[in-house]
Amino acid sequence: MARAQGARAQMALAFETTYGTPPASGFSRMPFASATLGAEQPLLNSELLGYGRDPLAPIKDAVTADGNVIVPIDAQGFGFWLKAAFGHPTTTGTAAPYTHEFRSGGWMLPSMSIETGMPEVPRYAMYSGCVLDTLSWQMQRSGLLTATASLVAQGEAIAAASTAGTLADLALQRFGHFNGAITRNGAALGNIVSAEITYANNLDRVETIRSDGRIDGADPSIAALTGRIEVRFADQVLVNQAINGDPCEMTFAYVLPSGEALTLTAHAVYLPRPRVEISGPQGVQATFDWQTARDAILGRMCTITLINSIEEY
């Protein structure tokens, strides 16, 4: 008997025209490292008395479908997750390379259908009405560069065969930590040990009364772009900014030698005043838990630019 193995698992993704309705075609094969996306329906214990000490049968509660997907930050596939996080991009270029610009602040987020498959069982789970809640990743000196996409889905449908049809394959061109750089107000920011970036749509689940126990949607509320930078304490630049309460523009970028690039620009970053501790004979480090606000001139919080050979997302 065949047993499920993660090495044979696969994932397909397509954007929906109607929320909660998987499209008949247009799915792409997505690279991923792990996934906790799933649906669960807990049981409610009976509270009734009068039938002895043994409990009566439980009843089913509402369905909850959500989870995380760990994906590589690459030049092509990552654009699908950026579209889910920010909405449709503005694309320029008449031939490759194309430049896709994603902007924060949009009111409408596209929903996705995501199918995870374990062909040896066989088990194919189609998650419809997937909306991206948060997208986060870390920058560091070494290691594999991945991002975590947290999703809220409407429901799950299980089948013995795939319903995604023929999948479009993407060329995998991964960015690495070695390709990363951080700038502040256009100048390279040195002495950075690590950085964390989190963009959140702060979804509000529309939990209405339905016979199937599913949600009616997931609406975005006030967005947030936050993170943390850990620096070797070498000067007072960041501390002075925190004390003065002034914002700065910070850019987190990756560039491949072949020309593909990913750049996140946070237009108005505010820094808290940190505690600078001397914990021993080693170098002194300071941690800044930063947050971004809407830039008064640009009218948005952040911009992400992705340069690749994909003509349209």
Side-chain angles (χ1 to χ4, degrees), residues 25-184:
S25 61
F27 282 83
S28 298
R29 188 187 313 275
M30 301 301 297
F32 72 106
S34 63
T36 62
L37 185 60
E40 59 183 359
Q41 188 174 23
L43 298 176
L44 298 177
N45 294 330
S46 175
E47 83 285 18
L48 301 179
L49 306 176
Y51 293 87
R53 291 185 58 233
D54 293 334
L56 297 178
I59 62 173
K60 294 181 179 180
D61 201 4
V63 177
T64 300
D66 54 20
N68 299 334
V69 181
I70 309 298
V71 299
I73 298 183
D74 67 313
Q76 295 193 5
F78 197 61
F80 289 88
W81 303 108
L82 293 177
K83 179 180 176 179
F86 295 94
H88 293 270
T90 299
T91 301
T92 56
T94 57
Y98 299 94
T99 299
H100 311 279
E101 183 178 272
F102 302 85
R103 296 183 177 184
S104 63
W107 288 104
M108 300 299 295
L109 296 179
S111 62
M112 305 172 288
S113 289
I114 298 177
E115 184 186 74
T116 59
M118 292 177 282
E120 67 277 5
V121 175
R123 182 184 189 271
Y124 292 87
M126 179 67 76
Y127 301 96
S128 57
C130 295
V131 184
L132 192 142
D133 190 16
T134 64
L135 186 64
S136 62
W137 69 91
Q138 293 184 340
M139 298 183 72
Q140 55 194 28
R141 186 174 183 272
S142 62
L144 295 173
L145 178 57
T146 59
T148 300
S150 297
L151 304 167
V152 173
Q154 186 186 46
E156 174 189 66
I158 307 297
S162 175
T163 58
T166 302
L167 304 183
D169 287 315
L170 303 172
L172 183 60
Q173 296 175 289
R174 296 188 68 171
F175 295 105
H177 289 292
F178 179 76
N179 309 116
I182 303 175
T183 61
R184 175 185 177 273

Side-chain angles (χ1 to χ4, degrees), residues 236-246 270-274 288:
Q236 288 281 107
V237 173
L238 296 179
V239 174
N240 288 339
Q241 178 189 330
I243 294 174
N244 296 333
D246 298 325
Y270 290 83
L271 303 175
R273 183 170 179 169
F288 296 85

Side-chain angles (χ1 to χ4, degrees), residues 208-286:
T208 57
I209 298 174
R210 294 171 52 122
S211 60
D212 58 7
R214 298 182 175 186
I215 62 174
D216 254 350
D219 298 336
S221 59
I222 299 297
L225 177 60
T226 59
R228 170 179 295 184
I229 53 174
E230 189 171 351
V231 301
R232 281 277 192 169
F233 196 68
D235 55 49
Q236 288 281 107
V237 173
L238 296 179
V239 174
N240 288 339
Q241 178 189 330
I243 294 174
N244 296 333
D246 298 325
C248 71
E249 183 179 83
M250 294 187 67
T251 299
F252 307 88
Y254 303 93
V255 180
L256 293 178
S258 53
E260 291 79 10
L262 172 66
T263 303
L264 184 150
T265 302
H267 299 295
V269 176
Y270 290 83
L271 303 175
R273 183 170 179 169
R275 182 191 300 270
V276 180
E277 298 180 350
I278 304 174
S279 57
Q282 291 81 17
V284 176
Q285 296 184 176

